[in-house]
Amino acid sequence: MGKLNVTVWNEFLHEKKDSIKRIYPNGIHGAIAEMLGKFGEYNIRTATLEEPECGLSDEVLDTTDVLIWWGHIAHDKVPDEIADKVCQRALDGMGLIVLHSGHLSKPFKKLMGTVCRSKWRENDEKERIWVIEPAHPIARNLPEYIELPQEETYGERFEIPTPDELVFISWFSGGEVFRSGCCYKRGLGKVFYFRPGHEAYPTFYREDITRVLKNAVDWAKPSCGPKPTLGHYEALENVGDKYAGKSDDERTHKNLYK
Ligand code: ZN
């Protein structure tokens, strides 16, 4: 297998204002692409909301192994049709990594089936992200905890389905805790939610945070197993055919609805 194709999607609106542009002059997507690019292991593209088709044409999605998603103030500007395509690709095996306020994005909420809301407060508090599953691939080469001197605070309850695997729990200096590294299997694909990354802090320029994203990309990549056959299927053993000589309508029970 060649290099993985990673697409970093960002709504790219906050960073057009000076206060945030100072922190992310090339956008959050640019920072993530730059930091992940240092590993030299991925073909990295970026895509943003205001590009045609949100930068997520069929051609881009069909050639994306892992999609990283950051969004905040314009979730509703992503057309349902694009969000549905992202979900379908994820169910077909594309990895999806949803960051920070992307928990309220259309693709994440649809794949979770819950409202995905939480408590929040923007107050420059400290976040300590504890690794609670050190043997998990997403925890590889991480310290026991990552400390972010200032981040937005999120707090439980986080309205998500119970994760298949929970890798990180965050503590905030204001007292809240939060499930901040959540793994899910959906269809043939894997979804990882990672909490930090508010636009007002340079979190995505940190090497430890980039390490988490790298590990998540490697974990979420398509498994390349067999494509399953769905629907009517001929028996592999000689078991006869009880509908031999009957019409297709009888075989598919369509006659019941006539
Ligand atoms: Zn935020």
Side-chain angles (χ1 to χ4, degrees):
M1 198 171 163
K3 285 185 176 181
L4 286 179
N5 294 315
V6 176
T7 303
V8 184
W9 191 89
N10 177 19
E11 69 181 20
F12 193 31
L13 296 177
H14 287 293
E15 305 96 310
K16 290 174 180 168
K17 286 194 204 136
D18 284 346
S19 58
I20 307 301
K21 193 175 187 174
R22 269 196 293 277
I23 300 163
Y24 289 110
N26 300 315
I28 285 173
H29 55 297
I32 292 171
E34 178 191 328
M35 294 297 287
L36 270 181
K38 290 182 182 176
F39 291 98
E41 297 177 24
Y42 312 111
N43 297 319
I44 303 174
R45 284 178 293 204
T46 62
T48 57
L49 178 68
E50 290 179 344
E51 293 171 26
E53 297 181 75
C54 303
L56 297 174
S57 64
D58 288 347
E59 195 261 324
V60 169
L61 281 175
D62 288 347
T63 53
T64 295
D65 295 309
V66 179
L67 177 64
I68 298 175
W69 190 281
W70 195 102
H72 179 214
I73 48 173
H75 297 311
D76 60 341
K77 298 282 191 302
V78 176
D80 288 345
E81 182 194 322
I82 303 277
D84 290 348
K85 276 199 300 189
V86 168
C87 289
Q88 192 57 55
R89 276 285 297 141
L91 294 170
D92 288 342
M94 177 187 75
L96 178 64
I97 298 170
V98 175
L99 300 172
H100 189 60
S101 40
H103 64 341
L104 294 176
S105 66
K106 287 181 180 178
F108 187 67
K109 288 200 296 185
K110 186 169 182 187
L111 287 164
M112 294 300 108
T114 57
V115 297
C116 300
R117 294 190 65 198
S118 69
K119 293 191 183 76
W120 66 273
R121 176 172 65 249
E122 196 182 338
N123 194 37
D124 297 344
E125 289 166 30
K126 180 161 75 179
E127 176 176 9
R128 191 175 289 134
I129 306 170
W130 286 96
V131 177
I132 63 162
E133 288 295 345
H136 194 280
I138 295 179
R140 183 177 298 159
N141 294 326
L142 291 180
E144 196 173 6
Y145 60 84
I146 295 170
E147 204 163 275
L148 306 176
Q150 291 189 329
E151 252 292 348
E152 183 178 8
T153 298
Y154 280 9
E156 297 279 351
R157 173 162 163 87
F158 184 19
E159 280 286 354
I160 47 170
T162 301
D164 298 332
E165 296 171 305
L166 182 61
V167 186
F168 305 118
I169 292 178
S170 286
W171 167 91
F172 297 87
S173 49
E176 285 80 4
V177 294
F178 197 79
R179 288 170 288 175
S180 54
C182 306
C183 299
Y184 296 94
K185 284 186 183 156
R186 288 292 184 269
L188 305 181
K190 293 183 191 147
V191 180
F192 181 63
Y193 172 76
F194 189 45
R195 195 221 74 88
H198 185 64
E199 68 275 3
Y201 309 104
T203 301
F204 292 118
Y205 281 111
R206 293 177 60 105
E207 290 192 356
D208 43 15
I209 295 298
T210 305
R211 168 63 63 177
V212 173
L213 297 187
K214 183 210 187 300
N215 290 345
V217 166
D218 294 342
W219 170 82
K221 70 184 177 189
S223 65
C224 302
K227 191 172 169 52
T229 308
L230 304 174
H232 185 258
Y233 190 61
E234 297 297 335
L236 299 179
E237 305 293 335
N238 185 12
V239 291
D241 179 359
K242 77 182 262 195
Y243 288 101
K246 303 264 174 68
S247 70
D248 279 353
D249 277 2
E250 280 174 291
R251 184 184 293 281
T252 56
H253 308 291
K254 277 188 186 146
N255 50 337
L256 292 176
Y257 306 104
K258 282 182 177 166

